[in-house]
Amino acid sequence: MNSRISIDLSGEGPGRSAGDSPWWLTPAVYLLLFILCLVTYHGISDNYLFNDDFSWMSRARYDMTPSNIFTFRVVNFFRPLINVTFYVFEHLAPGNLRLQYTFDLVLHFICSVLVLHLFTRILGDRRQAIVGAVLFAVSSIHTGAVFWISARTTLLSTALLLGAILALISGKGRGRLTVISSTALFVLSLLAKETAIAGLPILLFIFILYRKDWKNTGALRISLISWSIVSASYLITRKLVIGGFTQHNWGPGIHMLRNTAGGFLYQLWPWPFFSLFYHEGTMLKEPAHPFLPELLAIGAVALFWWLGRVTGRRREYALGSLWALTALVPASAFRYRFFSTVSITQNRYYYLSSVGTILIFALVFTLLWDSRKTAARIACAAAICIFITGSIVRVDRLEKIWSDFTRMYEESVGFIITTVEEKPVYTAAAIENPPLAFPYAADAVSLYKPDWKVSEVEGGLQQARRFAPCVYILFKYDGDRVESVDVHALE
């Protein structure tokens, strides 16, 4: 049984100060995390664009300007910092998809490094921190955030928020400068994605749980006030820019409780085990009951509370659970079920939350190891190996699905562009049943041919004549695959 470790938030943890470790340990762990990120996501750099990517890149290339970049809306959200990233890429290296994907992978690596330092401070144990950072780097519940270029909103906001929290608890800064730097990073995280507002209650939980160990409580208190003011100001600004807080697929309701529990349960699901030994288990059927199996999340929280009590690590287990649940709340307003594998991009909403669940996993694994029983240590080593290997295998399988999706999009968009280019007298296209949703198809065409007019058609050739002169393109399907394409030049 572990004895309770009293955390020292101003340093590296009791009994494990920086001087107790060789100088090369930290850079070696950085290198390990970088290699794991590369191995896990080695296949993403040659993929094409998907849905919102066409919109972001087209708007950044042709519509955004230095004067409107902070208020320009690509999707129905307020994310000016993401506007800046796309604007910079599309003006320095237009159309360089490999660079776009590499940037997302680098952001994931940075988040893994920040998790390492966060866990070092919170747990006061380098071993547990390294284990946690490794699990975070390879976890297959991060695919939606890393695969999708547009999902850099999640990666960038999480990196900035983790940096904001670390600025306060690292113990390397004091007073006004610490508060200012932390608040500035929090502001930037909000400007990358709205869900970063969960950082305010997370910081409050850290303060409540660890305030007795804090050597500069004043800075933390002031930061809580400044973060609160920033959050209120942000919500007001967002309201003025967007004009509302709800939309057709997003709004308050009882489904938020179900989604918060479902997102938490999704992260606890043994994906690595199923990936290696029972592949059918990596797919979840849409639940028939309105609140099951999501209610099982209550039992999981109770289990973690009990583990914290018997191991003397109540604060750590409490922080992990509260972090995981709180980070899910802002996104839980989406009106679809979170405990689902219908979409391979949906788990991007669990990225920030996973910091909490990974914290719990690290605690459980090291609990087994520290028992000093041979069987427990074998179980711990086996569990970690299964987690890492199974996660990499599952990410690879999901990446192949993602690659097929984006390749289909690339072929379809390429066909549309080539078809119209073969008829240079036309500058308009009427498209019916494109493989990608029409708004994205239109943005895809505008990305390559900004002067073309693209219209959506329903009802066949006769309806398409309304848009003449144009090229009419009709996609026909055999199930989910494009069987044939009809092309007509309409005078």
Side-chain angles (χ1 to χ4, degrees), residues 7 114-125 127-137 139 141-142 162 169 202 205-206 209-210 264 267-268 304 307 313-324 351-367 387:
I7 185 171
L114 292 171
V115 166
L116 170 70
H117 289 287
L118 177 72
F119 286 3
T120 300
R121 272 47 175 198
I122 294 297
L123 298 173
D125 189 328
R127 300 170 307 151
Q128 292 177 329
I130 293 171
V131 169
V134 166
L135 301 183
F136 185 88
S139 175
I141 63 173
H142 295 154
L162 293 178
I169 70 172
I202 288 173
F205 294 142
I206 293 175
L209 292 170
Y210 295 100
F264 184 54
Q267 297 174 59
L268 300 178
F304 299 144
L307 284 175
R313 307 299 298 273
R314 293 182 184 179
R315 296 186 302 180
E316 289 77 8
Y317 280 98
L319 180 60
S321 301
L322 290 169
W323 185 307
Y351 191 84
L352 175 60
S353 172
S354 71
V355 176
T357 53
I358 294 295
L359 174 62
I360 294 172
F361 291 157
L363 288 167
V364 172
F365 286 151
T366 52
L367 172 64
F387 190 104

Side-chain angles (χ1 to χ4, degrees), residues 145-374:
V146 183
F147 283 174
W148 195 0
I149 292 175
S150 298
R152 77 166 52 129
T153 55
T154 295
L155 298 170
L156 187 55
S157 65
T158 299
L160 291 166
L161 180 58
L162 293 178
I165 294 174
L166 272 172
L168 288 173
I169 70 172
S170 65
K172 296 181 179 179
R174 287 290 185 270
R176 184 178 302 175
L177 182 59
T178 299
V179 173
I180 292 174
S181 61
S182 175
T183 303
L185 288 171
F186 180 56
V187 170
L188 291 174
S189 70
L190 286 170
L191 296 180
K193 191 170 186 177
E194 298 86 343
T195 51
I197 201 166
L200 176 59
I202 288 173
L203 185 64
L204 177 61
F205 294 142
I206 293 175
F207 171 69
I208 293 173
L209 292 170
Y210 295 100
R211 64 186 183 277
K212 293 181 179 179
D213 300 303
W214 189 256
K215 293 186 176 181
N216 190 13
T217 308
L220 185 55
R221 291 181 187 275
I222 296 173
S223 294
L224 283 169
I225 295 172
S226 64
W227 283 34
S228 299
I229 295 172
V230 164
S231 298
S233 302
Y234 169 79
L235 292 175
I236 294 172
T237 303
R238 187 181 185 278
K239 169 69 174 177
L240 294 174
V241 173
I242 294 181
F245 290 103
T246 63
Q247 54 190 38
H248 72 282
N249 66 338
W250 193 94
I254 193 68
H255 64 281
M256 293 180 65
L257 293 176
R258 183 186 66 187
N259 282 346
T260 299
F264 184 54
L265 192 63
Y266 182 99
Q267 297 174 59
L268 300 178
W269 198 252
W271 302 112
F273 176 86
F274 287 138
S275 295
L276 293 177
F277 305 113
Y278 184 66
H279 184 49
E280 289 78 2
T282 61
M283 300 300 294
L284 298 173
K285 294 182 178 179
E286 195 71 15
H289 192 279
F291 288 102
L292 283 176
E294 286 87 349
L295 284 174
L296 296 176
I298 298 175
V301 172
L303 173 62
F304 299 144
W305 174 84
W306 177 79
L307 284 175
R309 182 179 179 182
V310 300
T311 61
R313 307 299 298 273
R314 293 182 184 179
R315 296 186 302 180
E316 289 77 8
Y317 280 98
L319 180 60
S321 301
L322 290 169
W323 185 307
L325 293 168
T326 302
L328 288 167
V329 173
S332 66
F334 279 106
R335 294 190 177 98
Y336 47 77
R337 204 143 187 176
F338 273 23
F339 190 70
S340 171
T341 53
V342 171
S343 167
I344 64 173
T345 62
Q346 183 172 301
N347 61 25
R348 68 189 184 277
Y349 299 122
Y350 318 150
Y351 191 84
L352 175 60
S353 172
S354 71
V355 176
T357 53
I358 294 295
L359 174 62
I360 294 172
F361 291 157
L363 288 167
V364 172
F365 286 151
T366 52
L367 172 64
L368 290 172
W369 185 263
D370 287 345
S371 70
R372 300 188 181 279
K373 295 181 180 179
T374 302

Side-chain angles (χ1 to χ4, degrees), residues 56-58 60-62 85-97 100 447:
W56 282 104
M57 293 179 67
S58 177
R61 188 179 298 181
Y62 301 114
T85 66
F86 276 100
Y87 181 84
V88 170
F89 276 120
E90 285 308 299
H91 284 77
L92 294 181
N96 191 329
L97 303 189
Q100 298 269 15
L447 182 63

